[in-house]
Amino acid sequence: MQVTSPLAGAAVRRAATTAAAAGSGPRTHLPFLLNVVKTALKSANTSAAAPALSPSSSSSPATALPPIPACAFKPYPLLGRGAAKQSAGSSLLFKDDACIVVNDAFPKSAMHCLVMPVDLRLQSLNALERRDIPLLRHMMHVGDEYVRYLQTTSPQVYQARRFIAGFHAIPSLPMLHLHVLSMDLDSPCIKNKKHYNSFATFFFLTSARILEDLERHGRVTLNQDVVRLRQMEEQDMRCLWCGTALANIPTMKAHIQSCPLNNAMEKPAKEDSRQGSP
């Protein structure tokens, strides 16, 4: 009887992990986002140098990071009426020594931007290692601070909106990018069920889950079940809020706007009916 050595078994496991990682890597080699980062690298920082992102700081909570002044950010370019994409493409909204913020050229919500590292080594979630935990925390912090900037400077547009941040389990383009977007999913750029499901199912991995996964395993594991993830993309659409089946994109858009459980906007506090009563 042939006996398989433990080393051979380890080699098989490594090969399986490598194959899974390849399947969950970027689907294309299109350089759009890479070129955005390369172009941004030629621009001056809009913010002072990022805090030192050493591996020894990986246990520091994101809340300990200092606030970023409003002057470091640029206003978000809302999609024009009737526009199907951003005519100017992705514009630089923030830059420091560690990452940039740009608007998504094909926004899937009223506000949809991308936070990307300037380290071109980081092509996707599969490239993240334990040493990148401080960088990931910083990217999350920058995204949060940009939302705070928008809600402070344009409260009539953004104050009531809820936002979410995360990564597509299987990205379309190379270059690690953190999506930060309002939760309305109201955009002419949502044209098929893959666009919708990529944000309305667990195909969208929140940044908090990715951070926890990276801290626990030293690499990202949540994106390795490629078959299941692709099924999520292809499944029939359901309302993000109430679970109602949505037959097509027009039905989805009409339902989302009228769904009584839609929680994309903060509800105004109800006035206490007892106020002023004796």
Side-chain angles (χ1 to χ4, degrees):
M1 181 177 67
Q2 184 177 5
V3 178
T4 303
S5 72
L7 288 178
V12 170
R13 287 192 295 273
R14 283 196 300 272
T17 300
T18 301
S24 58
R27 302 172 205 257
T28 73
H29 297 291
L30 296 173
F32 298 140
L33 295 183
L34 281 167
N35 289 340
V36 168
V37 174
K38 289 177 181 178
T39 299
L41 286 172
K42 301 174 185 177
S43 301
N45 287 359
T46 64
S47 176
L53 302 178
S54 64
S56 61
S57 63
S58 63
S59 60
S60 302
T63 52
L65 296 173
I68 299 173
C71 60
F73 296 110
K74 296 180 181 179
Y76 180 80
L78 289 167
L79 203 62
R81 183 178 296 275
K85 65 176 183 178
Q86 289 285 4
S87 58
S90 294
S91 301
L92 187 63
L93 307 176
F94 171 89
K95 178 175 180 280
D96 66 12
D97 291 337
C99 68
I100 65 171
V101 178
V102 300
N103 60 287
D104 194 303
F106 297 90
K108 302 305 188 290
S109 280
M111 196 291 282
H112 183 182
C113 63
L114 307 175
V115 184
M116 294 187 284
V118 297
D119 184 351
L120 298 177
R121 167 183 64 89
L122 299 173
Q123 298 283 294
S124 71
L125 290 173
N126 294 332
L128 289 173
E129 303 172 0
R130 192 175 300 278
R131 61 174 169 158
D132 299 310
I133 289 174
L135 172 62
L136 179 57
R137 285 189 180 278
H138 179 66
M139 291 171 60
M140 293 166 62
H141 176 63
V142 168
D144 289 344
E145 287 291 284
Y146 187 62
V147 168
R148 185 172 70 89
Y149 158 78
L150 293 177
Q151 292 181 325
T152 301
T153 57
S154 301
Q156 70 281 7
V157 178
Y158 299 107
Q159 186 63 55
R161 294 186 185 274
R162 296 179 188 271
F163 294 82
I164 193 168
F167 299 87
H168 284 149
I170 307 174
S172 298
L173 300 171
M175 197 64 222
L176 182 69
H177 51 285
L178 170 65
H179 295 268
V180 179
L181 67 161
S182 52
M183 296 182 69
D184 50 89
L185 296 181
D186 183 12
S187 168
C189 296
I190 295 184
K191 297 182 178 181
N192 56 56
K193 67 180 181 180
K194 281 188 176 181
H195 289 163
Y196 177 78
N197 285 336
S198 68
F199 291 100
T201 69
F202 284 114
F203 185 90
F204 187 72
L205 301 171
T206 64
S207 52
R209 292 185 68 204
I210 291 296
L211 177 61
E212 180 183 11
D213 192 33
L214 188 59
E215 288 177 328
R216 178 175 298 178
H217 300 105
R219 63 185 181 89
V220 175
T221 66
L222 292 173
N223 64 339
Q224 299 305 303
D225 191 346
V226 175
V227 172
R228 177 171 169 270
L229 291 167
R230 292 190 185 279
Q231 288 172 344
M232 289 182 188
E233 265 194 311
E234 296 288 351
Q235 71 185 33
D236 293 338
M237 293 183 293
R238 290 191 171 276
C239 176
L240 174 65
W241 307 107
C242 71
T244 296
L246 306 168
N248 50 47
I249 293 298
T251 300
M252 178 275 289
K253 293 187 176 184
H255 173 83
I256 289 293
Q257 292 184 1
S258 62
C259 177
L261 298 183
N262 188 322
N263 203 28
M265 303 286 282
E266 296 276 1
K267 303 296 189 295
K270 292 183 179 180
E271 186 176 353
D272 191 340
S273 59
R274 296 171 298 176
Q275 186 174 357
S277 60

